[in-house]
Amino acid sequence: MGGYIGKILRVNLTEGKISTEPLNMELAKKYLSGRGLAGKMFTDEVASDVDALSPENKIFIAAGALTGTNAPTSGRYVVVTKSPLNGVVASSNSGGQWGAHMKFAGYDMVILEGKADRPVYLSIHDDVVEIKDAAHVWGKDVYATTDTLKKEFGDDKVKVLSIGPAGENLSLISAVMNDLYRAAGRSGVGAVMGSKNVKAILVRGTGKVENANPDVMKTVLSSALGKLRENGVTGQGLPTYGTAVLVNIINESGIYPVKNFQESYDAEADLISGETMTANHLIKKDPCYRCPIACGRYSKWEGGEGAGPEYETVWVFGSNSGIHDFDAIHKANDLCNKLGLDTISVGATIAAGMELVQRGYIKPEELDGTPLEFGNAAGMVEWVRKIGYAEGLGAKMALGSYRFAESYGAPELSMTVKKLEIPAYDPRGVQGQGLQFATSNRGGCHVRGYMISPEILGLPEKLDRTSLEGKATWVKIFQDLTAVIDSLGLCLFSSFALGLSDYAALVNAVTGANYTDEELLACGERIWNNERLHNLRVGYSAAEDTLPKRLIQDPIVDGPSKGQTLKLAELLPKYYAERGWDEAGVPTPECLTKLGM
């Protein structure tokens, strides 16, 4: 088959043992690769009661079936493990170049198990794989680590994946970083890597990923590229303004959260929009591997330059913190990249802290002189640093907003689902996205089924965002399709222009398989149910398919969506029925039999 390399690298850190094994192609046919196959192997190999930060947890770093090919946006990989933040299957997705180069080195997946007895890093140069001492880079930030290890490797083409001080300090909102600025950001995967004493993984590959049907691929690729270029979002909006093009769009819909979701419209949002960033801060585009969209930004600010920031980051350090200072937003983003932190969770935790101060839960003497208040840009940036290094109150904040707010007896001020912070869309004004937040297998996540696409952007067709009609069906389809895209190693943004038939054509041309549209989507449904079953085993139930009290009980207070509420109680039973689950949200035997599970 094309696309797949057919080989897994397994590293037992406790024993210092390195081995290879063949990829299970029967499982790959059912779960693809990337998120799907790694998720299945995780649930098969790791007991549900394992402590996420214990040596018994494992990390599966997996490329997709199309990663490293000439398919558009084929640069992505995932980090699958048990989340220390909430105990679910963490499947954190990242772009850039690293994932493709893992395939070039000859591996579909790298599995880390056990725990090293000292700080180490893994060096992969095709068939030469070594566990090396990392004492000299332990404690260094991601940028310094990358620079040091690249020089040590002696080949500038090597790609570096690493954690920062946040991961070393076992922050539950730490990220795994690659190519300096790219982040497998959500669910605390950096802490799991830190718990194993693994600082970095270097890959240098001289091979390539073959296409099974190169002549067919030429036609399929031409069609896909044409659709991506002609689409208004992938061909114009994202390339021109980056993901922050969404700031004004979401704000004008009245679903742009402000001050920890206390409000949903920001009259000054344009000060931190993609248009403003392009006019005043953009240096160049920074695309991932094989990406014609090129939404990545490389920007300047007073005193520095670097990657981003992305839409979610602009929002969370901006309007959600009551801030309109783009320099401060850039600095906070850059600190997160250096320290190895998830920007959404960090910014949301800071915003929750600002509200805790606002309501008198946090006393001034706890702040060590650092302001924690809406609108204070300098204070916000300093709290990012304190979280990364677990200094003072920052150590408590490094555990995420739920545990932080709960420690003051106010968990309702944490805007989370299943303890994972919700991104930049107020679910009260967009019913499908609200349902998706509540039912997401990893918690508050927009990229498990991006219902903003049809409900706001009108892709593939425009839906009434306030209506409940058909939303359960749409959410299920989007969740299953997203699982497919993640498992192919493609970018979710490609789905603005491409549909299920396009993905089937790509995977068939590359791998030589013969998936029908229905069979490919069934892979996504299988992946979703496998994750759901794990979550049920670790103790989650339908009771956790919900949102914070504020977003369930209180109507939006201002802006174009004023008065709107989320009708989750009406949507959930329809969603469970659509999935073939019982009324308690448990997959039925009939559902699992249909999926061959």
Side-chain angles (χ1 to χ4, degrees):
M1 296 182 75
Y4 296 99
I5 301 299
K7 189 164 62 173
I8 292 173
L9 179 67
R10 190 179 291 266
V11 181
N12 187 309
L13 296 159
T14 304
E15 300 175 3
K17 179 182 177 183
I18 298 167
S19 60
T20 61
E21 60 195 66
L23 191 74
N24 185 325
M25 291 310 302
E26 286 304 310
L27 276 184
K29 289 175 184 176
K30 296 176 69 173
Y31 290 90
L32 304 171
S33 191
R35 171 183 161 192
L37 182 59
K40 173 59 176 169
M41 292 179 66
F42 165 81
T43 56
D44 285 349
E45 294 188 21
V46 179
S48 58
D49 61 352
V50 157
D51 184 322
L53 297 180
S54 72
E56 288 71 35
N57 194 11
K58 299 182 183 183
I59 302 175
F60 299 76
I61 304 174
L66 304 188
T67 302
T69 69
N70 59 342
T73 77
S74 57
R76 304 198 74 85
Y77 75 94
V78 296
V79 180
V80 172
T81 188
K82 184 172 185 177
S83 167
L85 183 69
N86 56 10
V88 305
V89 182
S91 179
S92 299
N93 195 308
S94 184
Q97 309 290 325
W98 192 92
H101 284 259
M102 181 176 73
K103 293 275 287 281
F104 300 157
Y107 309 98
D108 296 288
M109 188 184 302
V110 175
I111 303 173
L112 304 178
E113 50 192 26
K115 177 181 180 177
D117 60 4
R118 67 195 190 286
V120 299
Y121 74 92
L122 190 65
S123 174
I124 304 171
H125 191 169
D126 294 331
D127 292 335
V128 180
V129 182
E130 300 172 277
I131 300 172
K132 295 192 172 187
D133 185 79
H136 60 305
V137 289
W138 197 258
K140 290 183 180 290
D141 68 36
V142 169
Y143 297 1
T145 298
T146 300
D147 184 58
T148 299
L149 294 183
K150 286 186 78 168
K151 288 177 181 176
E152 200 169 287
F153 191 87
D155 185 338
D156 196 52
K157 293 182 179 178
V158 69
K159 304 300 176 185
V160 181
L161 172 153
S162 73
I163 59 171
E168 295 175 15
N169 294 331
L170 307 185
S171 167
L172 303 188
I173 51 178
S174 59
V176 168
M177 307 297 298
N178 61 278
D179 305 314
L180 292 176
Y181 313 118
R182 306 293 181 177
R186 315 231 62 201
S187 306
V189 294
V192 181
M193 198 159 144
S195 75
K196 296 186 176 301
N197 279 329
V198 177
K199 178 65 174 178
I201 303 176
L202 280 61
V203 293
R204 171 72 173 99
T206 58
K208 63 178 183 178
V209 186
E210 301 288 351
N211 285 344
N213 298 308
D215 291 337
V216 174
M217 186 59 176
K218 288 179 183 178
T219 302
V220 173
L221 183 60
S222 177
S223 173
L225 288 172
K227 291 178 180 180
L228 288 164
R229 292 190 187 105
E230 292 164 10
N231 180 272
V233 176
T234 57
Q236 298 171 34
L238 288 172
T240 304
Y241 299 114
T243 56
V245 70
L246 285 168
V247 169
N248 283 330
I249 295 170
I250 300 303
N251 190 53
E252 288 163 7
S253 298
I255 56 169
Y256 191 60
V258 177
K259 296 181 180 177
N260 200 36
F261 286 76
Q262 293 183 69
E263 303 164 22
S264 306
Y265 177 76
D266 185 351
E268 298 181 280
D270 187 55
L271 293 173
I272 53 172
S273 67
E275 291 85 344
T276 299
M277 182 163 67
T278 299
N280 299 333
H281 298 273
L282 182 65
I283 295 176
K284 63 180 180 179
K285 299 177 184 179
D286 186 22
C288 297
Y289 177 82
R290 286 279 182 179
C291 183
I293 302 172
C295 71
R297 310 285 96 176
Y298 190 87
S299 306
K300 61 184 178 182
W301 61 89
E302 185 179 358
E305 62 181 55
E310 303 296 335
Y311 165 68
E312 307 291 342
T313 306
V314 169
W315 157 76
V316 81
F317 291 128
S319 299
N320 202 47
S321 300
I323 291 167
H324 301 94
D325 181 342
F326 233 143
D327 283 336
I329 293 168
H330 277 99
K331 290 173 185 176
N333 178 63
D334 194 54
L335 269 176
C336 284
N337 291 337
K338 284 181 178 177
L339 301 178
L341 287 165
D342 173 52
T343 60
I344 298 175
S345 286
V346 168
T349 300
I350 291 172
M354 290 172 172
E355 186 169 358
L356 286 165
V357 170
Q358 179 188 48
R359 298 186 182 278
Y361 289 98
I362 296 177
K363 306 305 179 186
E365 56 268 24
E366 298 179 74
L367 302 178
D368 297 325
T370 303
L372 184 58
E373 58 192 12
F374 291 116
N376 193 308
M380 178 272 292
V381 174
E382 176 61 10
W383 281 111
V384 174
R385 192 194 67 79
K386 285 178 176 288
I387 290 171
Y389 287 109
E391 291 182 5
L393 194 62
K396 191 182 290 188
M397 297 167 79
L399 302 179
S401 68
Y402 186 87
R403 289 173 176 82
F404 181 48
E406 185 182 44
S407 72
Y408 290 95
E412 70 278 3
L413 299 186
S414 166
M415 297 298 107
T416 51
V417 174
K418 302 177 179 75
K419 298 185 177 68
L420 182 66
E421 286 74 14
I422 300 169
Y425 314 91
D426 192 318
R428 292 170 290 186
V430 56
Q431 298 293 322
Q433 190 62 55
L435 175 62
Q436 147 57 22
F437 280 157
T439 58
S440 170
N441 282 330
R442 72 169 178 178
C445 175
H446 58 303
V447 290
R448 279 294 187 268
Y450 194 63
M451 285 296 292
I452 296 300
S453 188
E455 291 185 295
I456 299 295
L457 303 178
L459 297 170
E461 64 182 81
K462 189 74 167 76
L463 302 181
D464 180 351
R465 63 188 174 91
T466 67
S467 172
L468 308 189
E469 185 177 354
K471 292 299 172 67
T473 303
W474 276 88
V475 168
K476 175 186 178 297
I477 291 172
F478 265 57
Q479 288 173 338
D480 294 347
L481 178 61
T482 299
V484 169
I485 295 168
D486 288 347
S487 301
L488 294 179
L490 302 182
C491 176
L492 180 60
F493 289 169
S494 64
S495 65
F496 291 131
L498 305 182
L500 179 59
S501 295
D502 298 299
Y503 294 115
L506 283 166
V507 71
N508 288 339
V510 169
T511 67
N514 191 30
Y515 289 103
T516 64
D517 291 1
E518 293 74 20
E519 288 169 343
L520 188 61
L521 195 61
C523 291
E525 186 175 3
R526 202 172 287 121
I527 293 162
W528 192 269
N529 278 271
N530 180 60
E531 294 169 347
R532 179 72 174 191
L533 289 170
H534 173 270
N535 292 353
L536 293 169
R537 285 195 293 270
V538 300
Y540 282 91
S541 69
E544 281 76 38
D545 291 338
T546 188
L547 288 102
K549 184 171 65 174
R550 172 176 292 164
L551 304 181
I552 293 288
Q553 297 181 3
D554 302 338
I556 290 176
V557 299
D558 60 351
S561 293
K562 182 177 180 180
Q564 291 186 21
T565 58
L566 177 63
K567 308 296 193 303
L568 186 60
E570 297 176 49
L571 288 166
L572 268 179
K574 297 177 182 178
Y575 173 83
Y576 292 159
E578 190 70 34
R579 281 220 167 270
W581 298 350
D582 66 22
E583 60 185 13
V586 178
T588 62
E590 294 79 11
C591 168
L592 299 179
T593 299
K594 180 192 75 170
L595 294 171
M597 298 178 68

